[in-house]
């Protein structure tokens, strides 16, 4: 068609576009209501579905209205082709953004379910989103009639130069992927490095690992350094662990009574204090004849690493109080010093300056 659009054509196109906008607004309101209802369910799949629809459905309604409006206008073949290509590119863009968001959310959910913590391994999420967006971008170029073969060739050649220039960054990237795939460290684990840093792993991204100390400070560790250092993971292969408390009693103590009382207090702490392991069987092991005491170790169970401080705190308080009731003495260190020779030999000689004479 080559004639100019009539008033009827313009009104029809406007109605189609307005209808698309109206449907988009209605969908937005309805999907917001559905999202609130989906949050109340236990199944996470409905949240993902509603989130996907909230991203794509309103825009799809707008594009459909624009396409219907364009169809109502007497466009030339060339102009119609351009409009169709543009609308197709917009649809592909909407689908790409929706797919990146949904697939990234699925990867996030899988990483969260496997680690069992609130933190997420964003390195996988970011890689997934970048891959989906890159594919969508290439499809849009192809749809618009732009050849992607030269672009792929240029990316292949330029990728080598970028890899050489960003070798440290890529080393951290692949080290992060290796850490997560090998499952040596997962978000939520409590780790301690040989250099002394320790805390909970809250995130592993494309460049570094974020560790939150018990003081709530964040330690940023490059993935390459984390993969190449000695490290203790207190959450693997099991989060429960044992802690030891060193105790000493006087030589005149009844060791049978000491063992019985200590185990009673330890069992009481295991059952009453949050963070302990109720089914753990405490143990007492005598091991040392010291200078002024008989030393022994008490073995307690804790649910996870940070709870050991509270467990030890409560155990020492209760044990000290019970020992006082039972008459069990915890002796203080004593030293006997023998002095040999006369008292004068122990007093340092003082030099008395000579009196000054007048000039």
């Amino acid at each position: 068609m080559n004639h100019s659009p009539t008033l009827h054509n313009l009104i029809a196109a406007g109605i189609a576009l307005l209808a698309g906008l109206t449907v988009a607004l209605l969908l937005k309101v309805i999907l917001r209501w559905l999202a609130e209802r989906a949050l109340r369910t236990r199944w996470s799949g409905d949240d993902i579905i509603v989130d996907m629809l909230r991203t794509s459905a309103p825009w799809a309604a707008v594009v459909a209205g624009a396409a219907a409006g364009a169809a109502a206008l007497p466009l030339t073949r060339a102009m119609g082709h351009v409009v169709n290509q543009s609308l197709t590119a917009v649809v592909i863009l909407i689908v790409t953004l929706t797919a990146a968001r949904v697939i990234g959310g699925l990867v996030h959910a899988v990483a969260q379910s496997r680690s069992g913590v609130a933190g997420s391994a964003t390195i996988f999420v970011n890689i997934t989103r970048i891959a989906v967006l890159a594919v969508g971008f290439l499809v849009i170029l192809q749809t618009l009639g732009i050849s992607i073969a030269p672009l792929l060739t240029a990316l292949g050649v330029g990728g080598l130069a970028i890899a050489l220039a960003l070798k440290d960054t890529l080393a951290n990237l692949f080290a992060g992927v290796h850490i997560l795939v090998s499952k040596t460290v997962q978000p939520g684990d409590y780790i301690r490095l040989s250099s002394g840093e320790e805390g909970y792993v809250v995130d592993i991204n494309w460049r570094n690992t974020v560790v939150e100390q018990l003081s709530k400070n964040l330690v940023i560790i490059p993935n390459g350094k984390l993969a190449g250092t000695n490290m203790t993971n207190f959450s693997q292969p099991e989060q429960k662990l044992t802690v030891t408390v060193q105790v000493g009693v006087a030589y005149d103590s009844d060791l049978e009574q000491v063992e019985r009382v200590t185990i009673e207090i330890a069992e009481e702490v295991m059952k009453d204090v949050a963070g302990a392991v109720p089914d753990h069987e405490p143990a007492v092991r005598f091991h040392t004849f010291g200078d002024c005491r008989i030393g022994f170790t008490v073995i307690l169970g804790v649910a996870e690493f940070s709870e050991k401080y509270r467990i030890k705190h409560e155990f020492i308080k209760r044990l000290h109080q019970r020992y006082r009731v039972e008459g069990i003495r915890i002796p203080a260190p004593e030293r006997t010093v023998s002095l040999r020779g006369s008292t004068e030999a122990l007093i340092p000689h003082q030099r008395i300056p000579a009196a000054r004479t007048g000039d």
Side-chain angles (χ1 to χ4, degrees):
M1 297 181 183
N2 295 323
H3 57 82
S4 300
T6 64
L7 180 61
H8 176 75
N9 298 136
L10 294 177
I11 292 175
I15 292 175
L17 183 59
L18 182 61
L21 292 174
T22 303
V23 172
L25 291 176
L26 290 175
L27 287 173
K28 192 171 183 180
V29 174
I30 294 173
L31 291 172
R32 181 182 300 174
W33 179 81
L34 289 176
E36 294 175 356
R37 296 300 182 274
L39 290 175
R40 301 176 184 177
T41 63
R42 296 183 178 180
W43 185 46
S44 60
D46 54 357
D47 297 330
I48 297 175
I49 294 173
V50 173
D51 185 60
M52 177 182 65
L53 293 175
R54 289 183 67 182
T55 305
S56 58
W59 286 107
V62 173
V63 172
L73 296 175
L75 302 177
T76 62
R77 180 176 297 180
M79 182 60 68
H81 179 69
V82 171
V83 171
N84 290 333
Q85 276 190 328
S86 301
L87 293 177
T88 304
V90 172
V91 171
I92 295 174
L93 178 61
I94 294 172
V95 172
T96 301
L97 295 177
T98 303
R101 185 172 180 175
V102 172
I103 295 176
L106 290 174
V107 173
H108 179 280
V110 171
Q112 183 176 358
S113 63
R114 290 195 173 184
S115 59
V117 295
S120 64
T122 57
I123 182 171
F124 287 149
V125 177
N126 292 335
I127 290 176
T128 302
R129 287 177 177 171
I130 291 173
V132 173
L133 292 175
V135 172
F137 176 71
L138 295 177
V139 173
I140 290 174
L141 292 180
Q142 190 71 27
T143 302
L144 295 176
I146 302 174
S147 177
I148 62 175
L151 179 61
L152 294 177
T153 303
L155 289 177
V157 176
L160 180 60
I162 294 175
L164 293 175
L166 301 177
K167 60 179 182 179
D168 293 336
T169 301
L170 292 176
N172 288 324
L173 172 62
F174 290 117
V177 174
H178 170 71
I179 290 171
L180 288 173
V181 171
S182 62
K183 296 184 179 181
T184 55
V185 176
Q186 295 289 320
D189 291 353
Y190 193 96
I191 64 172
R192 177 186 294 161
L193 304 184
S194 58
S195 54
E197 296 91 349
E198 64 178 79
Y200 287 101
V201 177
V202 296
D203 192 19
I204 302 176
N205 55 45
W206 62 274
R207 187 178 183 276
N208 50 53
T209 298
V210 182
V211 175
E212 182 180 8
Q213 297 178 321
L214 295 179
S215 60
K216 300 302 181 181
N217 296 325
L218 296 181
V219 180
I220 311 301
I221 306 171
N223 292 333
K225 180 181 178 182
L226 182 65
T229 188
N230 294 332
M231 173 185 60
T232 303
N233 190 335
F234 292 97
S235 301
Q236 298 291 342
E238 188 177 359
Q239 197 168 15
K240 296 179 182 179
L241 68 155
T242 58
V243 296
T244 59
V245 180
Q246 303 301 322
V247 190
V249 295
Y251 274 95
D252 58 357
S253 302
D254 183 353
L255 297 187
E256 293 292 338
Q257 179 192 17
V258 170
E259 183 176 7
R260 175 179 56 81
V261 170
T262 304
I263 290 180
E264 288 179 0
I265 296 298
E267 291 177 345
E268 177 185 316
V269 170
M270 292 295 96
K271 294 178 181 178
D272 298 344
V273 181
V277 182
D279 57 351
H280 174 78
E281 296 183 2
V284 172
R285 297 292 182 265
F286 295 97
H287 55 72
T288 304
F289 289 102
D291 293 338
C292 59
R293 65 179 66 186
I294 296 177
F296 61 93
T297 298
V298 183
I299 304 174
L300 306 173
V302 297
E304 55 101 9
F305 185 85
S306 64
E307 300 292 347
K308 73 174 187 177
Y309 300 102
R310 176 160 65 262
I311 302 303
K312 293 174 71 172
H313 168 79
E314 288 294 331
F315 174 73
I316 291 174
K317 281 201 314 180
R318 299 187 186 192
L319 187 66
H320 181 261
Q321 182 179 6
R322 181 67 180 276
Y323 276 6
R324 292 180 64 181
V325 174
E326 298 287 341
I328 300 174
R329 189 166 59 90
I330 303 177
E334 297 178 357
R335 294 290 185 272
T336 302
V337 180
S338 300
L339 301 179
R340 296 183 179 181
S342 61
T343 305
E344 295 180 356
L346 299 177
I347 301 176
H349 295 284
Q350 297 182 357
R351 298 180 61 186
I352 303 177
R356 275 188 175 184
T357 57
D359 294 336

